[in-house]
Amino acid sequence: MGYNVSDANSYLVITGGGIPDIKIVKKAWVWPWQKHSRISISPFDFEITLQAMTIEKLQFSLPAVFTIGPADDVESLCRYAKILTGKTANSAKQPTATGRNHVQDIVKGIIEGETRVIVSSMTMEEIFKEREVFKTAVIKNVQKELDQFGLK
């Protein structure tokens, strides 16, 4: 039991007695029948070199850097905390990978998949002439997928 306070770039995730799912707070009393952990909301960078193929069947290397972090609202933080800590509806039945590396693997898969989908529908000329359109399409598609994990 004790009063816990999180750092400026983190939140407390509390589970246990009196809490139906999880509770995300900056400071709280944690009772002996409850567990708590801290999650960082610091963004992390992804540097990937994607092997992609255009609609013309031309293969090329596409270097990219993305900065991803959890959204700073309670609903998004709950989704992020569940992925980071492994607490899901099925977690009692089967082991779940946890931690920041797991989140990074998910994000990398999303970025690679969505980028390949967009690249495969464009010509090489379109990719280079319309860079802003390409960039906007990638960000929009990636963000749509990241929303389900509480990331932005």
Side-chain angles (χ1 to χ4, degrees):
M1 182 178 112
Y3 191 71
N4 288 277
V5 178
S6 66
D7 295 329
N9 67 337
S10 65
Y11 281 89
L12 295 172
V13 179
I14 304 172
T15 60
I19 300 170
D21 190 19
I22 62 174
K23 183 178 176 182
I24 308 285
V25 291
K26 283 295 217 176
K27 56 189 175 198
W29 284 99
V30 178
W31 305 105
W33 55 85
Q34 295 175 331
K35 289 185 176 182
H36 76 285
S37 60
R38 287 178 167 76
I39 58 168
S40 172
I41 60 168
S42 298
F44 39 96
D45 290 333
F46 287 95
E47 290 185 36
I48 60 171
T49 302
L50 180 68
Q51 298 297 319
M53 192 175 294
T54 66
I55 198 167
E56 305 154 316
K57 306 286 188 242
L58 296 173
Q59 191 171 6
F60 69 101
S61 238
L62 180 68
V65 177
F66 288 83
T67 301
I68 308 288
D72 200 9
D73 62 84
V74 176
E75 186 180 322
S76 295
L77 286 169
C78 283
R79 289 193 301 259
Y80 177 65
K82 286 177 183 179
I83 289 170
L84 199 61
T85 61
K87 182 174 173 34
T88 64
N90 300 333
S91 63
K93 298 174 187 163
Q94 51 185 282
T96 306
T98 60
R100 192 156 235 190
N101 287 340
H102 176 62
V103 173
Q104 289 177 343
D105 289 343
I106 291 171
V107 170
K108 184 178 177 190
I110 290 170
I111 291 169
E112 287 178 349
E114 293 301 319
T115 305
R116 280 194 179 112
V117 166
I118 293 166
V119 167
S120 68
S121 67
M122 299 176 80
T123 65
M124 189 69 81
E125 190 174 328
E126 288 173 335
I127 292 169
F128 289 104
K129 279 191 174 179
E130 300 172 12
R131 284 185 192 172
E132 285 305 310
V133 172
F134 173 68
K135 178 181 164 186
T136 302
V138 169
I139 291 171
K140 180 181 159 203
N141 285 12
V142 168
Q143 186 57 56
K144 204 181 319 179
E145 293 296 318
L146 291 179
D147 284 342
Q148 65 184 323
F149 301 110
L151 297 165
K152 62 178 181 173

